[in-house]
Amino acid sequence: MTPAPDRVAGIQQEWRRERPDLDPAPQGVIGRLHRVAGLLTEQLVAVYARHGLTEGDFDVLATLRRAGAPYERTPGELAQHTMVTTGGMSKRIDRLEEAGLVSRRTSSTDGRGRVVALTPDGVARIDAAVTEHFANERRLLDELSPADARALERILTTWLAHLGG
């Protein structure tokens, strides 16, 4: 079954008319991928918001939760794992600490270093949010057949590796 023409197809058609010397074919993939990413982000962020979290908050809490007990990392490690600058990370940590979801303390392995750790409330919040998040991702991916989902994962993995991500 061929999908109905979408906004990207219309844009491509306009470029073919206005600039027949250019090939708008890559927009078929790039444009749709960009639109899909935006629509997926809206769906994902809605789940985070139901748990009182921003996308960045969810990212930090999930990174700490994935670290395993005692659910801690240094601010530098958090910045590295979330691709956020250390300055931006400090603001996120401040906000999460004010909400009682993380705490800062001296490292048990390096008395000069500091670590950020999930509080019991933080563990409960991220566990609830990630449970709903995974169900939401399943719902979104179930729009594709299992074969298409596997093929898309393979293609995106290969492309991402070529792009250096």
Side-chain angles (χ1 to χ4, degrees), residues 4 8 10 35 56 67 79 85 95-96 102 109 120 132 135 144:
V8 174
R35 288 182 53 82
T85 65
R95 193 171 52 250
L96 291 167
V102 302
T109 59
E132 186 178 351
L144 301 175

Side-chain angles (χ1 to χ4, degrees), residues 47-87:
V47 168
Y48 309 149
R50 283 196 288 277
H51 294 272
L53 303 171
T54 66
E55 188 173 24
D57 296 340
F58 179 90
D59 198 15
V60 171
L61 296 177
T63 299
L64 289 168
R65 183 64 173 89
R66 289 191 318 267
Y71 313 119
E72 64 184 29
R73 292 200 184 268
T74 67
E77 290 171 333
L78 283 171
Q80 180 183 11
H81 285 276
T82 59
M83 296 191 201
V84 174
T85 65
T86 51

Side-chain angles (χ1 to χ4, degrees), residues 12-25:
Q12 288 177 292
Q13 185 177 9
E14 291 167 354
W15 279 120
R16 283 186 188 99
R17 182 191 68 232
E18 294 301 314
R19 291 290 309 270
D21 58 311
L22 298 177
D23 177 15

